[in-house]
Amino acid sequence: MKRRFLLVVSLILFLTTFLLYEMNRGKSSENKQQVVNVFTARHYQIDNEVFREFTKRTGIQVNEVKGTAEELVERIQREGKASSADLFLAVDGGVLNFAKQSGVLQPMTSETLLRNVPAEWRDPDNYWAGIATRSRVIVYAKDRVDPDELSTYEDLTSEQWKGRVLIRSASSLYNQSLLASFIELSGEVEAEKWAEGIVRNLSREPEGGDRAQAMAIAAKIGDVAIMNTYYIGQMSASLDPEEREIAEKLGVFFPNQQTTGAHMNISGIGLAKYSPNKDHALKLAEFLTSREGQTLLTQGSYEFPVNDEADMPEMLKNWGNFKQQPVDIASLGHFHKQATEIFERVGWK
């Protein structure tokens, strides 16, 4: 009897331990699945708000790992199948194509995502998709420049604009892609002539980001600047009254409307090759490109949405439709090396 009793007790203890182990393992597995890891080279506050809204709706926690695009791609490559990366988020079509060519992404098969994002803002093999677009335009001082004086990027190299042009440095990815688009459209010789002309007409050596160029216009250091559209939107809605005041004094001009169109670029996402939370990653990608996600994103970032159903800020609506460069966004990266060499040759610091 005693032996039988001990056997029964042992069996009960074993079954209890086994059941507790399985329950804990199930909970651990469940918790592990309720997460998506975003390796992001974007550093915008609105992204965090969009991620929080996604978590609120789905219960899936979004973890961000930040760095430069090159650092993040190298890390995903190095870690291989052990990588925790689910989504890669970056700015510039060339950078997204670099991630694809580096073998760190896999095709996104979500039909919802493909419906949300037009083909012009997607990789042809669906390795990445845009979540927002921006145009690199001419921003001018309303009190010193008549918009009728403005026409093209090329015209900024004319004598009229000598000592009046502001733009950031040659190391800027935005400027590298802008020059890359000129190389694709007009060839390297014409692109170099343009870069040389801009250097000749600068009001100061390049310094600071796009926001700094806007402030330099307000300080009358220069009269026109080449900037991304969303900076003007963000400054107009800034909590800083000085930035809002500066934004009110600036006009936005979309160049080359009678020729090659205004330069465009994107922010986009790609699904990591060994994503451990693939289903959740695709859910986040779908939300980011949905009407609701796009509206929330563009209302905060002042980028243009890729989903036409999104509701844009009034400022963007007021800019209206404009002609865009007929350039393959993904191809921009192919010309970055040439663009960098041109900048160096013409003395664009």
Side-chain angles (χ1 to χ4, degrees):
M1 288 290 292
K2 185 176 180 181
R3 184 177 299 172
R4 185 179 299 175
F5 173 77
L6 291 174
L7 183 61
V8 170
V9 170
S10 298
L11 182 60
I12 292 172
L13 288 173
F14 171 77
L15 289 173
T16 301
T17 302
F18 177 77
L19 289 172
L20 287 173
Y21 169 77
E22 288 297 316
M23 288 173 64
N24 288 331
R25 189 175 70 165
K27 288 180 180 178
S28 175
S29 176
E30 183 179 347
N31 290 336
K32 182 179 179 182
Q33 292 172 355
Q34 297 299 311
V35 68
V36 57
N37 301 308
V38 179
F39 279 42
T40 178
R42 275 172 58 103
H43 306 285
Y44 305 154
Q45 179 59 37
I46 187 59
D47 291 4
N48 297 324
E49 296 179 25
V50 176
F51 293 154
R52 282 196 292 270
E53 180 62 24
F54 172 73
T55 300
K56 180 180 175 182
R57 293 178 179 223
T58 65
I60 301 170
Q61 183 68 39
V62 179
N63 295 328
E64 289 184 273
V65 176
K66 296 189 176 185
T68 68
E70 292 77 11
E71 289 170 348
L72 296 173
V73 167
E74 191 277 331
R75 175 174 171 179
I76 297 172
Q77 280 182 315
R78 185 178 68 252
E79 294 176 347
K81 293 182 180 180
S83 175
S84 62
D86 291 309
L87 282 179
F88 174 70
L89 176 55
V91 173
D92 187 77
V95 168
L96 291 164
N97 204 48
F98 165 70
K100 173 188 175 181
Q101 298 300 326
S102 297
V104 300
L105 304 179
Q106 62 175 297
M108 293 184 285
T109 56
S110 166
E111 290 298 325
T112 299
L113 175 71
L114 300 184
R115 285 195 303 270
N116 288 341
V117 184
E120 65 178 313
W121 304 124
R122 282 190 273 116
D123 171 63
D125 301 314
N126 299 322
Y127 277 81
W128 52 260
I131 61 169
T133 70
R134 68 280 298 278
S135 184
R136 197 146 182 79
V137 297
I138 300 173
V139 174
Y140 62 93
K142 290 180 180 178
D143 64 339
R144 304 190 298 280
V145 176
D146 184 339
D148 289 339
E149 299 177 79
L150 300 168
S151 58
T152 65
Y153 297 107
E154 292 83 356
D155 183 62
L156 292 181
T157 67
S158 68
E159 186 69 22
Q160 176 186 0
W161 302 106
K162 190 171 182 63
R164 303 174 69 187
V165 178
L166 292 155
I167 194 167
R168 64 199 296 172
S169 74
S171 63
S172 164
L173 182 63
Y174 306 143
N175 285 342
Q176 290 171 12
S177 286
L178 176 63
L179 190 58
S181 72
F182 295 162
I183 295 172
E184 180 169 342
L185 290 169
S186 305
E188 188 171 345
V189 172
E190 290 302 314
E192 183 162 340
K193 285 181 182 178
W194 178 82
E196 189 174 35
I198 292 295
V199 171
R200 185 172 59 247
N201 284 353
L202 289 176
S203 63
R204 68 174 182 188
E205 287 190 358
E207 62 177 70
D210 280 8
R211 202 179 301 258
Q213 312 315 312
M215 293 178 175
I217 292 177
K220 298 186 178 181
I221 295 172
D223 295 332
V224 295
I226 296 177
M227 295 174 50
N228 285 348
T229 44
Y230 62 87
Y231 282 98
I232 299 302
Q234 290 178 4
M235 291 179 72
S236 71
S238 174
L239 296 177
D240 184 342
E242 182 183 358
E243 286 199 351
R244 294 199 303 272
E245 184 179 351
I246 289 172
E248 288 176 5
K249 297 178 180 179
L250 302 177
V252 172
F253 184 85
F254 290 86
N256 297 70
Q257 293 305 283
Q258 304 304 316
T259 58
T260 53
H263 174 70
M264 300 294 293
N265 212 326
I266 65 171
S267 289
I269 49 173
L271 180 63
K273 185 174 183 178
Y274 298 111
S275 168
N277 304 289
K278 181 177 178 179
D279 290 344
H280 292 331
L282 288 175
K283 283 183 181 179
L284 177 55
E286 290 168 356
F287 178 71
L288 285 169
T289 58
S290 69
R291 180 186 184 280
E292 297 81 5
Q294 287 277 284
T295 296
L296 182 57
L297 180 66
T298 191
Q299 292 286 346
S301 72
Y302 284 84
E303 296 168 283
F304 296 104
V306 294
N307 188 328
D308 292 335
E309 296 181 358
D311 187 18
M312 295 188 294
E314 284 302 314
M315 175 177 283
L316 274 63
K317 292 178 183 177
N318 292 337
W319 287 339
N321 295 324
F322 56 93
K323 183 179 180 180
Q324 303 174 11
Q325 282 180 339
V327 171
D328 177 11
I329 297 296
S331 71
L332 294 177
H334 300 321
F335 299 105
H336 275 194
K337 184 175 185 295
Q338 289 171 262
T340 300
E341 291 171 350
I342 288 174
F343 284 140
E344 187 173 346
R345 285 199 298 268
V346 302
W348 189 320
K349 297 181 179 179

